[in-house]
Amino acid sequence: MKVIISNSDSRPIYEQITAQIKNLIISGSLKSGDALPSMRFLAKELRISVITTKRAYEELERSGFIETVAGKGSFVSGMNADFIREEHLRKAEEHLQQAVDAAKSAGISKEELAETLNMLYDGN
């Protein structure tokens, strides 16, 4: 599992970690039951505080992405397909909102944007 921290990112470090692990789970790179590195190991690898990795793992657990077993570690939870689909839909909505905002600022009509989306979706 590769996590990269960026000093130029405006988000706090724990949010960067959380977002990257969520993306690995949603993309299928991390599967249900896969073990995550221990909080101490990840903190050491990233050269950050254990408190920061603890906060990231707590956020992931609260969101249902991981489960922590005392004395054994943290593992990707057995999320159902509907939950993963909902996360994909949420990400698509974020990207579509950005596209809508860009289209509005450029004077592109809703019809033109819809036509472009249909072309991209159909692969034409």
Side-chain angles (χ1 to χ4, degrees):
M1 182 179 88
K2 184 89 170 158
V3 175
I4 300 168
I5 300 302
S6 171
N7 291 331
S8 62
D9 194 320
S10 62
R11 297 175 299 171
I13 293 172
Y14 82 93
E15 284 183 12
Q16 292 180 48
I17 295 168
T18 302
Q20 289 179 54
I21 294 174
K22 279 182 181 181
N23 286 335
L24 289 169
I25 294 169
I26 291 169
S27 71
S29 296
L30 287 175
K31 299 187 181 348
S32 177
D34 285 353
L36 296 180
S38 72
M39 290 179 218
R40 290 182 207 276
F41 179 81
L42 185 59
K44 183 179 175 187
E45 286 290 306
L46 297 175
R47 294 185 173 105
I48 60 173
S49 165
V50 174
I51 294 169
T52 303
T53 56
K54 183 177 190 299
R55 187 168 180 188
Y57 278 32
E58 286 172 347
E59 179 63 31
L60 288 164
E61 190 163 18
R62 207 175 6 262
S63 301
F65 282 89
I66 68 170
E67 298 168 349
T68 301
V69 179
K72 296 197 181 215
S74 298
F75 303 88
V76 176
S77 70
M79 298 184 306
N80 63 32
D82 289 338
F83 182 79
I84 292 172
R85 184 182 184 287
E86 195 62 34
E87 278 298 313
H88 282 293
L89 182 59
R90 185 190 60 73
K91 287 189 86 162
E93 287 173 356
E94 286 176 15
H95 292 292
L96 287 171
Q97 185 61 57
Q98 291 173 355
V100 166
D101 294 343
K104 283 182 177 179
S105 69
I108 297 170
S109 72
K110 183 171 39 170
E111 292 74 21
E112 289 175 295
L113 185 62
E115 184 179 324
T116 303
L117 175 63
N118 287 330
M119 275 187 351
L120 291 171
Y121 195 86
D122 295 338
N124 298 330

